[in-house]
Structures are given as C-alpha cells and as structure tokens.
Amino acid sequence: MPRKSRLPTATEWAHHYLATQLSTNAHLIDATAGNGHDALFLSQFILPDGHLYLFDIQEVAIQTTRSLLLSNEIPASNTSLFQCSHTELKERIPSNLHGAIDAVVFNLGYLPGQHKTLTTLSDSTLVALESSLELLKPGGILSVITYPGHATGAEEARCVTNWMKSLPSSAFEVQRLQALNRLAPPPELWIVKKS
Ligand SMILES: C[S@@+](CC[C@H](N)C(=O)[O-])C[C@H]1O[C@@H](n2cnc3c(N)ncnc32)[C@H](O)[C@@H]1O
C-alpha cells in the first residue's frame, strides 16, 4: 500500500487485505459493481483463466463498470456483468463454481452521484450474504463495507452486524474495522474468512 499521510479508508483496507490473499486465475464476485472501482481492483487477479462476476441493479452502473474494465484492457471473456439484484447470486454463478469462489466483495449503500433511494437494503443484502458464504471456497474471503451514516444504511449496518455476530466461529473467522473517534457514523469494513 502506498505511504499516505492519513490512515487507509475502509475500501483501501479491503483491497490491501484482498491483495494479500489473491494471486492469479481467481474466481471473484463483485456484488455491488457501482462505478467499477472495486471491479477494476479485482480484475488484476483474474487473468489468464479466472473470472469476475459483477452485479448491480442499475444499468448505469453496469455500463460504467463495463467501460472501465474494457478501457483497462480486461478481456470481456473474463467477466460477466449482470444487471440484477445480488439476491440472484446463486442462480447466476455457474454451479461448478459453487464452493469454489475465491472472494466476494460488497460495497453497500448507494452510487455516488445517483439517486439515494437506489441503495442496498437489509433484506436483500442478508440473502446475498448468505449465498456468498455457500459460494466461497474453503479459505475464501467475504469483504463487506457498510455505511451507517444515513438512515437506511444505519438499519442495514445493524442487520449486517447481527448477522456477522451469528456466524459460527468453527466455520468462519469474522473481523470488523472502523474509525472510533469520528462524530458522524463511519463506514465499517467486515472481513470474513471461511474455514
Ligand atoms: C456504494 S455503490 C458500490 C461502489 C462500487 N463497488 C465501486 O467500486 O464503485 C453501491 C451499489 O450497489 C447497487 N445496489 C443496490 N442494491 C443492489 C442490489 N440489490 N443488488 C446489486 N446491487 C445493488 C447500487 O446500484 C450501487 O451501484
């Protein structure tokens, strides 16, 4: 990670940890494609024979992410972009990869610059998180960032926290990283490692 005057953001921490766990030929899921920044980061680990599966409910997010990947010369044959809810994770990921995914990434909330009502919601997020655990390989990583600074995000963060706390320690390691001395509720990064 490059030397900076401030501590890393939640996203930078997530990328930093994922980079220590991923190498080449990875099979990865970005469950909230948005502007494609996480996707571009993940794409460096998929070549030559891996694959990146991307989900977002918004057409603009899918188009932006596709353009970003193509302009960075990521072959379209190594990516699949789905304009649908991440509740469809299990249906959309090929069955031969169930239990073989290296990492699933969620950057929850709404797309900066777009309408804030198009945000992730607790009920669908929890369905997708459950599916992610089934899709991961042993040793696979689930990374989730929540944004409790707005009302819907606060409720979602509360549900994600309860869900994370309920995971059996015999099957999953769970850690949370969060700034502690800020007035506004800061983003929370959750990392889950499947045993
Ligand atoms: C904070 S943005 C993601 C940022 C993105 N990862 C990036 O690197 O730019 C959250 C995204 O989640 C999407 N989203 C909301 N509900 C969703 C759902 N049920 N399934 C998939 N994506 C959803 C929104 O459209 C938005 O683009």
Side-chain angles (χ1 to χ4, degrees), residues 12-39:
E12 288 167 345
W13 276 121
H15 290 187
H16 175 61
Y17 178 66
L18 286 162
T20 69
Q21 301 295 300
L22 301 173
S23 53
T24 53
N25 294 319
H27 287 86
L28 303 170
I29 298 173
D30 182 344
T32 52
N35 285 323
H37 301 303
D38 292 309

Side-chain angles (χ1 to χ4, degrees), residues 31-38 56-58 85-86 107-110 120:
T32 52
N35 285 323
H37 301 303
D38 292 309
D56 205 293
I57 52 171
Q58 294 190 65
S85 173
H86 40 220
N107 203 333
L108 297 170
Y110 53 84
T120 53

Side-chain angles (χ1 to χ4, degrees), residues 82-161:
F82 300 114
Q83 189 191 339
C84 69
S85 173
H86 40 220
T87 52
E88 295 185 33
L89 277 179
K90 278 200 288 187
E91 290 87 330
R92 301 288 183 149
I93 303 297
S95 55
N96 64 313
L97 290 177
H98 289 204
I101 296 292
D102 294 280
V104 187
V105 171
F106 289 77
N107 203 333
L108 297 170
Y110 53 84
L111 191 57
Q114 296 293 317
H115 206 283
K116 292 184 181 179
T117 54
L118 292 169
T119 190
T120 53
L121 297 170
S122 307
D123 287 353
S124 45
T125 296
L126 292 182
V127 169
L129 290 176
E130 283 288 346
S131 300
S132 301
L133 295 186
E134 287 180 44
L135 292 167
L136 284 173
K137 70 177 188 181
I141 303 297
L142 170 64
S143 167
V144 183
I145 299 176
T146 61
Y147 294 88
H150 59 110
T152 314
E155 166 63 9
E156 184 177 47
R158 191 184 63 75
C159 293
V160 169
T161 298

